[in-house]
Amino acid sequence: MGPGSAAVADGPASPGAFAPTSAPGPASVPEPVAVRQQLRTEFPFELPRGYVDESGTVHRDGVMRLATARDELIPLRDVRVQENPAYLSVVLLGRVITRLGTLPMVHDGIVENMFASDLAFLQDFYRQVNAEGHTRAAVECPHCSEPFEVELGGSRLGES
């Protein structure tokens, strides 16, 4: 290993960049932290129709956070879910939607009064952000090799 190699391998690297080295061993293996992307935990959405509150205001823009195991387990204890398993998605969405328009808080009572098309949208959105981890994928055109993104739309919760 030449004198310049050690300085490059041991010196700080800019985030996302790897210092080249010709020496085998730990210095030649990039640190995992340098290649990791920051975990995205909140996802904005816009409802197709919007939730109409008691004063007639329509709320369409919102934010959903990633669900935790606790979010998926606690609703199973809910009597409404035990009596009607279809109610699970209402309770679950009430836990993970952190903002909807100018409402001070979102809960299952808000979700159960949404239009069916908005509920279906949120169920699909929940599945996309929690099962796949994101709603868009980077792909490359097989003909011209131009990169672009596609929406990973799919079926609703419980459908194959």
Side-chain angles (χ1 to χ4, degrees):
M1 169 165 72
S5 297
V8 172
D10 295 335
S14 62
F18 300 109
T21 179
S22 59
S28 66
V29 178
E31 294 184 29
V33 175
V35 296
R36 284 190 199 161
Q37 294 181 2
Q38 188 170 2
L39 178 63
R40 185 173 170 200
T41 60
E42 292 191 323
F43 301 86
F45 62 83
E46 184 176 321
L47 295 175
R49 297 195 186 268
Y51 169 75
V52 182
D53 67 18
E54 52 283 337
S55 68
T57 303
V58 179
H59 304 272
R60 293 185 71 198
D61 297 323
V63 175
M64 181 183 294
R65 66 171 171 79
L66 285 176
T68 64
R70 182 181 194 94
D71 290 324
E72 293 197 349
L73 292 171
I74 286 184
L76 298 175
R77 297 186 205 152
D78 192 305
V79 174
R80 298 167 297 179
V81 173
Q82 291 172 352
E83 291 175 358
N84 181 3
Y87 204 75
L88 174 62
S89 66
V90 171
V91 177
L92 185 54
L93 289 169
R95 293 181 61 88
V96 297
I97 297 171
T98 58
R99 186 181 64 75
L100 183 60
T102 58
L103 295 173
M105 69 181 294
V106 181
H107 51 78
D108 53 15
I110 300 287
V111 177
E112 70 184 0
N113 286 304
M114 289 182 175
F115 294 112
S117 58
D118 288 335
L119 178 61
F121 168 83
L122 288 169
Q123 288 170 329
D124 189 45
F125 191 68
Y126 176 91
R127 184 191 54 76
Q128 289 176 19
V129 300
N130 286 286
E132 281 102 31
H134 51 80
T135 62
R136 300 188 67 78
V139 294
E140 186 176 286
C141 176
H143 301 291
C144 69
S145 299
E146 185 70 25
F148 63 98
E149 289 187 341
V150 294
E151 183 68 34
L152 296 174
S155 61
R156 293 191 180 96
L157 289 174
E159 293 180 357
S160 298

